[in-house]
Coordinates of all heavy atoms in Angstrom, one line a residue:
K1 N 0.1 12.3 -0.4 CA -0.7 13.4 -0.2 C -0.3 14.6 -1.1 O -1.2 15.3 -1.7 CB -0.6 13.9 1.3 CG -1.5 15.0 1.6 CD -1.4 15.4 3.1 CE -2.2 16.6 3.5 NZ -2.1 17.0 4.9
E2 N 1.0 14.8 -1.3 CA 1.4 15.9 -2.2 C 1.0 15.6 -3.6 O 0.8 16.6 -4.4 CB 3.0 15.9 -2.1 CG 3.6 16.5 -0.9 CD 5.0 16.7 -1.0 OE1 5.7 16.2 -1.9 OE2 5.6 17.4 -0.1
Q3 N 0.9 14.3 -4.0 CA 0.5 14.0 -5.3 C -1.0 13.8 -5.5 O -1.5 13.5 -6.5 CB 1.1 12.6 -5.7 CG 2.6 12.6 -5.5 CD 3.4 13.7 -6.2 OE1 3.2 13.9 -7.4 NE2 4.3 14.4 -5.5
G4 N -1.8 14.1 -4.4 CA -3.2 13.9 -4.5 C -3.7 12.5 -4.5 O -4.8 12.2 -4.9
R5 N -2.9 11.6 -4.0 CA -3.2 10.1 -4.0 C -3.2 9.5 -2.7 O -3.1 8.2 -2.6 CB -2.2 9.4 -5.0 CG -2.0 10.0 -6.3 CD -3.3 10.2 -7.1 NE -3.9 8.9 -7.5 CZ -5.0 8.7 -8.1 NH1 -5.7 9.8 -8.4 NH2 -5.4 7.5 -8.5
Q6 N -3.3 10.2 -1.6 CA -3.2 9.7 -0.3 C -4.3 8.7 0.1 O -4.0 7.6 0.6 CB -3.1 10.8 0.8 CG -2.8 10.3 2.2 CD -2.9 11.4 3.2 OE1 -3.9 12.1 3.3 NE2 -1.9 11.5 4.0
E7 N -5.5 9.1 -0.2 CA -6.6 8.2 0.1 C -6.5 6.9 -0.6 O -6.8 5.8 0.0 CB -7.9 8.9 -0.3 CG -9.2 8.2 0.1 CD -9.6 8.5 1.5 OE1 -9.3 9.6 2.0 OE2 -10.3 7.6 2.2
Q8 N -6.1 6.9 -1.9 CA -6.0 5.7 -2.6 C -4.9 4.8 -2.0 O -5.1 3.6 -1.9 CB -5.6 6.0 -4.1 CG -6.8 6.7 -4.9 CD -6.8 8.2 -4.7 OE1 -6.2 8.7 -3.8 NE2 -7.4 8.9 -5.6
L9 N -3.8 5.4 -1.7 CA -2.7 4.6 -1.1 C -3.1 4.0 0.3 O -2.8 2.8 0.6 CB -1.4 5.4 -1.0 CG -0.2 4.6 -0.4 CD1 0.1 3.4 -1.2 CD2 1.0 5.6 -0.3
L10 N -3.7 4.8 1.1 CA -4.1 4.4 2.4 C -5.0 3.1 2.3 O -4.9 2.2 3.0 CB -4.8 5.5 3.2 CG -5.3 5.2 4.6 CD1 -4.1 4.8 5.5 CD2 -6.0 6.4 5.2
D11 N -6.0 3.2 1.4 CA -6.9 2.1 1.3 C -6.2 0.8 0.8 O -6.5 -0.3 1.3 CB -8.0 2.4 0.3 CG -9.1 3.4 0.9 OD1 -9.2 3.4 2.1 OD2 -9.8 4.0 0.1
L12 N -5.2 1.0 -0.1 CA -4.5 -0.2 -0.6 C -3.6 -0.8 0.5 O -3.4 -2.0 0.6 CB -3.6 0.2 -1.8 CG -4.4 0.5 -3.1 CD1 -3.5 1.2 -4.1 CD2 -4.9 -0.9 -3.7
L13 N -3.0 0.1 1.3 CA -2.2 -0.4 2.4 C -3.0 -1.1 3.5 O -2.6 -2.2 4.0 CB -1.4 0.8 3.1 CG -0.3 1.4 2.3 CD1 0.2 2.7 2.9 CD2 0.9 0.5 2.2
Y14 N -4.1 -0.6 3.8 CA -5.0 -1.3 4.7 C -5.4 -2.7 4.2 O -5.3 -3.7 4.9 CB -6.3 -0.5 5.0 CG -6.2 0.5 6.1 CD1 -6.9 1.8 5.9 CD2 -5.6 0.3 7.3 CE1 -6.8 2.7 6.9 CE2 -5.6 1.2 8.3 CZ -6.2 2.4 8.1 OH -6.1 3.4 9.1
R15 N -5.8 -2.7 3.0 CA -6.3 -4.0 2.4 C -5.1 -5.0 2.4 O -5.3 -6.2 2.7 CB -6.9 -3.8 1.0 CG -7.3 -5.1 0.4 CD -8.1 -5.0 -0.8 NE -8.4 -6.4 -1.3 CZ -9.3 -7.2 -0.9 NH1 -10.1 -6.7 0.1 NH2 -9.5 -8.4 -1.3
A16 N -3.9 -4.5 1.9 CA -2.8 -5.4 1.8 C -2.4 -6.0 3.2 O -2.1 -7.1 3.3 CB -1.6 -4.6 1.2
N17 N -2.5 -5.1 4.2 CA -2.1 -5.6 5.6 C -3.1 -6.5 6.2 O -2.7 -7.5 6.8 CB -1.8 -4.4 6.5 CG -1.3 -4.8 7.8 OD1 -0.5 -5.7 8.0 ND2 -1.9 -4.2 8.9
F18 N -4.4 -6.2 6.0 CA -5.4 -7.0 6.7 C -6.0 -8.1 5.9 O -6.6 -9.0 6.5 CB -6.4 -6.0 7.3 CG -5.9 -5.2 8.4 CD1 -5.7 -3.8 8.2 CD2 -5.6 -5.7 9.6 CE1 -5.3 -3.0 9.2 CE2 -5.1 -4.9 10.7 CZ -5.0 -3.5 10.4
A19 N -6.0 -8.0 4.6 CA -6.7 -9.0 3.8 C -5.9 -9.8 2.9 O -6.4 -10.8 2.4 CB -7.8 -8.2 3.0
E20 N -4.7 -9.4 2.6 CA -3.9 -10.1 1.6 C -2.7 -10.9 2.3 O -2.3 -10.6 3.4 CB -3.3 -9.2 0.6 CG -4.5 -8.5 -0.2 CD -4.0 -7.4 -1.2 OE1 -2.8 -7.3 -1.3 OE2 -4.8 -6.8 -1.8
E21 N -2.3 -11.9 1.6 CA -1.3 -12.8 2.2 C 0.1 -12.3 2.2 O 0.8 -12.5 3.2 CB -1.3 -14.2 1.4 CG -0.5 -15.2 2.0 CD -0.6 -16.6 1.3 OE1 -1.6 -16.7 0.5 OE2 0.2 -17.5 1.6
R22 N 0.5 -11.6 1.2 CA 1.9 -11.1 1.2 C 2.1 -9.9 2.2 O 1.3 -9.0 2.2 CB 2.2 -10.6 -0.2 CG 3.7 -10.2 -0.4 CD 4.0 -9.8 -1.9 NE 5.3 -9.2 -2.0 CZ 5.7 -8.6 -3.1 NH1 4.9 -8.6 -4.2 NH2 6.9 -8.0 -3.2
S23 N 3.2 -10.0 2.9 CA 3.4 -9.0 4.0 C 3.8 -7.6 3.4 O 4.3 -7.5 2.3 CB 4.6 -9.4 4.9 OG 4.9 -8.4 5.8
V24 N 3.4 -6.6 4.1 CA 3.8 -5.2 3.7 C 5.0 -4.7 4.5 O 5.5 -3.6 4.3 CB 2.6 -4.2 3.9 CG1 1.5 -4.5 3.0 CG2 2.1 -4.2 5.4
F25 N 5.5 -5.5 5.4 CA 6.6 -5.1 6.3 C 8.0 -5.5 5.8 O 8.2 -6.7 5.3 CB 6.4 -5.7 7.7 CG 5.1 -5.2 8.3 CD1 4.0 -6.1 8.4 CD2 5.0 -3.9 8.8 CE1 2.8 -5.6 9.0 CE2 3.8 -3.5 9.4 CZ 2.7 -4.4 9.5
N26 N 8.9 -4.6 5.8 CA 10.3 -4.8 5.4 C 10.4 -5.3 4.0 O 11.2 -6.2 3.7 CB 11.0 -5.7 6.4 CG 12.5 -5.6 6.3 OD1 13.0 -4.6 5.7 ND2 13.2 -6.6 6.7
D27 N 9.5 -4.8 3.1 CA 9.5 -5.3 1.7 C 9.2 -4.0 0.9 O 8.1 -3.7 0.5 CB 8.4 -6.3 1.5 CG 8.4 -6.9 0.1 OD1 9.1 -6.4 -0.8 OD2 7.7 -8.0 -0.1
D28 N 10.3 -3.3 0.5 CA 10.1 -2.1 -0.2 C 9.4 -2.3 -1.6 O 8.6 -1.4 -2.0 CB 11.5 -1.4 -0.4 CG 12.0 -0.8 0.8 OD1 11.3 -0.8 1.9 OD2 13.1 -0.2 0.8
E29 N 9.7 -3.4 -2.2 CA 9.1 -3.6 -3.5 C 7.6 -3.8 -3.4 O 6.8 -3.5 -4.3 CB 9.8 -4.7 -4.3 CG 11.1 -4.3 -4.9 CD 11.0 -3.1 -5.8 OE1 10.2 -3.1 -6.8 OE2 11.7 -2.1 -5.5
R30 N 7.2 -4.4 -2.3 CA 5.7 -4.6 -2.1 C 5.1 -3.2 -1.9 O 4.0 -2.9 -2.5 CB 5.5 -5.4 -0.8 CG 4.1 -5.5 -0.4 CD 3.2 -6.3 -1.4 NE 1.9 -6.7 -0.9 CZ 0.8 -6.7 -1.6 NH1 0.9 -6.4 -2.9 NH2 -0.3 -7.1 -1.0
L31 N 5.8 -2.3 -1.2 CA 5.2 -0.9 -1.1 C 5.2 -0.2 -2.4 O 4.3 0.6 -2.7 CB 6.0 -0.2 0.0 CG 6.0 -0.7 1.4 CD1 6.8 0.2 2.4 CD2 4.6 -0.9 1.9
V32 N 6.3 -0.4 -3.2 CA 6.3 0.2 -4.5 C 5.1 -0.2 -5.4 O 4.4 0.6 -6.0 CB 7.6 -0.1 -5.2 CG1 7.6 0.4 -6.7 CG2 8.8 0.6 -4.5
E33 N 4.9 -1.5 -5.3 CA 3.7 -2.1 -6.1 C 2.4 -1.4 -5.7 O 1.6 -1.0 -6.5 CB 3.6 -3.6 -5.9 CG 4.8 -4.4 -6.6 CD 4.7 -5.8 -6.2 OE1 3.7 -6.3 -5.7 OE2 5.7 -6.6 -6.5
L34 N 2.2 -1.3 -4.4 CA 1.0 -0.7 -3.9 C 0.9 0.8 -4.3 O -0.2 1.3 -4.6 CB 0.9 -0.9 -2.4 CG 0.7 -2.3 -1.9 CD1 0.9 -2.4 -0.4 CD2 -0.6 -2.9 -2.3
A35 N 2.0 1.5 -4.2 CA 2.0 2.9 -4.5 C 1.7 3.1 -6.0 O 1.0 4.0 -6.4 CB 3.4 3.5 -4.1
V36 N 2.3 2.3 -6.8 CA 2.0 2.3 -8.3 C 0.5 2.1 -8.5 O -0.1 2.8 -9.4 CB 2.9 1.4 -9.0 CG1 2.4 1.2 -10.5 CG2 4.4 1.8 -9.0
S37 N -0.1 1.1 -7.8 CA -1.5 0.9 -8.0 C -2.3 2.1 -7.6 O -3.5 2.3 -8.0 CB -1.9 -0.3 -7.1 OG -1.3 -1.5 -7.6
A38 N -1.8 2.9 -6.7 CA -2.4 4.1 -6.2 C -2.2 5.3 -7.2 O -2.8 6.4 -7.0 CB -2.0 4.5 -4.8

């Protein structure tokens, strides 16, 4: 949100959790990848 990218990250997190195979839980590098995409 501070970087003006909250909406983009939220959408990516939702899709990753509900539609993609790789887990978003307890996987910091997965979160880094999603954040970079945002």
Side-chain angles (χ1 to χ4, degrees):
K1 182 180 179 182
E2 287 187 347
Q3 310 302 311
R5 310 302 293 176
Q6 186 186 51
E7 186 83 26
Q8 292 87 340
L9 181 57
L10 181 59
D11 284 340
L12 286 166
L13 287 169
Y14 272 141
R15 177 170 179 80
N17 184 43
F18 291 108
E20 298 176 4
E21 187 172 349
R22 184 177 169 188
S23 177
V24 294
F25 299 104
N26 199 21
D27 185 348
D28 284 359
E29 281 308 302
R30 175 64 166 147
L31 296 183
V32 171
E33 290 173 11
L34 294 168
V36 169
S37 295

